[in-house]
Amino acid sequence: MRRIRAVVQCLFATTVAAGGLVALAPAAQAITIPVACSENALVAAVNLANSTPISDTLVLAGGCTYRMTTAHGGTANALPVITTPIEMIGPATVANASPLGLGLFRIAEVGPTGSLTLTTGVVFTRGNVLGHGGGILNRGAVTLTGSSLTGNTASGNGGGLANLDTPSGTAPAATFTNSPLSGNLTLLGDGGAVYNGLRGTLTVTGVTGSPLFITGNSAGRGGGISAVNSTATTLTQTAVTNNHALLTLGNSGGVYRQGGTMTTTNAPITANTANNCVGSVPAVPNCTG
């Protein structure tokens, strides 16, 4: 496999200190990594980016579907666990493509020191995990811009994404901008599209006249979004519609809230089953039924 890595120029400097020359270490700089359209190439690129603490950019092959046939980050992650800042630029799709669809692994896990940014049409799909976060398990920072999570499944919380606190006290953060969430599922847990857990921060933003849609997701509770003891959940120009709660008729099919700060602005929560937001404490702002 041919690897292409951008040439990084490092500047060396010297300085006079207390009667002698002190050599400064070369300054680390970000790299750009073009990624050929194959499972092995994507795994190698993530490993390469993880090898330095600086932010690196992975330019995915335009229109490629990266078919992940096995786990490469422990037993539960298609990609190596992300431990440094990494951006992936599409358009491209990363999919769980295990034989017969039986592979029990999500697409990505972001560790407490890591961050993952998906831009320009990157799609994570068909993640399928015994645990939390069918598409992405986030313990660090995740940002989607013009990208999406669709058709992912978890047995625990967060069919699409789970913001999950860690014993070390990391406060996870997820930001979605013009990035729809659809067709994600958790059979037993909270948050079909997104689970915003302990001390997590979730920000979802569309644009005027073209809202971001959270639709067709299902969960035991909070078919669209479930925010439980999180720090903040902010929905702006976002439509939460046609999501479903699976376990009982009393559960919120749209948005479920238990504690934490929540703000909704031009964010209709409608046509969810069994209801939109009933049972939330405190109530979900600007939501009825």
Side-chain angles (χ1 to χ4, degrees):
M1 179 188 67
R2 182 184 179 188
R3 296 185 188 176
I4 305 175
R5 178 171 178 169
V7 176
V8 181
Q9 293 184 338
C10 298
L11 300 178
F12 292 83
T14 59
T15 185
V16 177
L21 292 177
V22 178
L24 298 182
Q29 297 185 20
I31 59 174
T32 298
I33 308 169
V35 185
C37 186
S38 77
E39 175 178 11
N40 289 339
L42 181 55
V43 170
V46 172
N47 281 328
L48 179 59
N50 271 337
S51 68
T52 64
I54 54 178
S55 177
D56 297 317
T57 300
L58 276 55
V59 181
L60 305 183
C64 173
T65 295
Y66 291 88
R67 297 173 55 83
M68 311 304 293
T69 60
T70 190
H72 298 273
T75 60
N77 304 294
L79 299 175
V81 176
I82 292 169
T83 58
T84 64
I86 295 176
E87 179 181 13
M88 296 184 184
I89 299 177
T93 298
V94 184
N96 180 332
S98 58
L100 302 179
L102 298 178
L104 296 177
F105 51 85
R106 66 178 66 84
I107 304 302
E109 176 180 342
V110 180
T113 60
S115 68
L116 175 63
T117 300
L118 307 180
T119 60
T120 318
V122 178
V123 180
F124 279 8
T125 187
R126 294 188 64 197
N128 181 25
V129 71
L130 292 175
H132 306 303
I136 301 174
L137 175 61
N138 179 36
R139 303 180 189 274
V142 169
T143 301
L144 273 72
T145 302
S147 298
S148 65
L149 303 178
T150 182
N152 300 287
T153 303
S155 66
N157 298 324
L161 177 142
N163 267 348
L164 200 66
D165 203 7
T166 65
S168 63
T170 298
T175 301
F176 295 82
T177 303
N178 298 332
S179 298
L181 297 135
S182 63
N184 300 289
L185 168 68
T186 169
L187 292 173
L188 302 176
D190 276 35
V194 177
Y195 173 76
N196 191 23
L198 182 62
R199 297 191 299 124
T201 300
L202 172 65
T203 305
V204 184
T205 307
V207 297
T208 302
S210 181
L212 185 157
F213 277 91
I214 298 175
T215 186
N217 305 283
S218 301
R221 181 174 63 181
I225 293 173
S226 184
V228 178
N229 298 322
S230 57
T231 295
T233 302
T234 303
L235 308 179
T236 305
Q237 300 291 345
T238 298
V240 183
T241 184
N242 291 316
N243 301 285
H244 313 285
L246 301 174
L247 292 183
T248 70
L249 294 178
N251 283 340
S252 305
V255 176
Y256 175 74
R257 176 188 182 189
Q258 181 179 311
T261 299
M262 182 172 286
T263 304
T264 63
T265 304
N266 295 328
I269 303 170
T270 60
N272 301 284
T273 58
N275 55 67
N276 292 317
C277 51
V278 171
S280 297
V281 180
V284 174
N286 304 311
C287 179
T288 59

